[in-house]
Amino acid sequence: MIPTQIVVGAAIVRGGSVLAAQRASPAHLRGRWELPGGKVDPGETDEAALVRECHEELGVRIRPIERVGPDVLLPVRPNAPRALLRVWTAELTTGEPEALEHLELRWLTADTLSTVDWLPADLPFLDHIRSRLSGG
Ligand code: DCM
């Protein structure tokens, strides 16, 4: 059986905003926006991967709060395993996010959440995130 690669994303919420990050690479994703995160390593829990990826990409410590939305199938790439995106809301515990691996970071409110060009796999999570930003 071919294993499924799990990819995790963090909806880091502060006040009424969520942090969006603009990808630098690979070339076909450059300029698109995502919830920061990445691949879960073998033997690693989803939450540990979320904490590790946010430290590597943003230089901060976060605390995952709760899973939001479904498992979303990532677009299939040639010769790549099936991959699913899972998202958690999270809060910052230490540090101020820096774009260590991204082109730009932006704090988006419920009203501005749809103003950036999100990766397609992140789109199904936006309504869940918006309702939390609106206090729902
Ligand atoms: N990915 C995504 N949305 C996210 C995070 C990642 O669609 N919020 C995708 C982009 C890559 C794959 O998952 O195709 C692995 O991400 P990374 O390259 O960051 O490890």
Side-chain angles (χ1 to χ4, degrees):
M1 195 187 81
I2 300 169
T4 298
Q5 172 69 59
I6 303 299
V7 176
V8 293
I12 303 172
V13 175
R14 181 167 69 187
S17 300
V18 66
L19 190 69
Q22 189 180 34
R23 287 193 71 108
S25 65
H28 72 282
L29 301 182
R30 185 177 171 87
R32 309 285 302 268
W33 291 76
E34 67 175 3
L35 297 167
K39 298 186 187 82
V40 178
D41 286 339
E44 189 179 41
T45 65
D46 291 0
E47 287 90 342
L50 204 61
V51 170
R52 175 182 53 74
E53 288 281 355
C54 288
H55 188 247
E56 290 172 4
E57 296 181 355
L58 307 170
V60 297
R61 290 292 173 191
I62 60 134
R63 185 179 73 83
I65 300 173
E66 61 169 343
R67 264 295 295 276
V68 290
D71 282 359
V72 172
L73 195 59
L74 286 165
V76 178
R77 306 277 305 154
N79 302 316
R82 195 174 97 106
L84 296 173
L85 177 62
R86 295 179 176 158
V87 168
W88 277 254
T89 56
E91 64 176 2
L92 283 172
T93 57
T94 310
E96 185 63 24
E98 289 179 79
L100 301 178
E101 298 183 358
H102 289 91
L103 294 177
E104 189 189 332
L105 303 178
R106 241 179 242 181
W107 289 98
L108 301 174
T109 64
D111 287 343
T112 59
L113 194 57
S114 297
T115 59
V116 298
D117 182 20
W118 290 97
L119 290 180
D122 293 50
L123 292 174
F125 298 101
L126 297 187
D127 281 348
H128 297 275
I129 294 167
R130 189 180 288 105
S131 71
R132 279 161 180 78
L133 294 178
S134 311

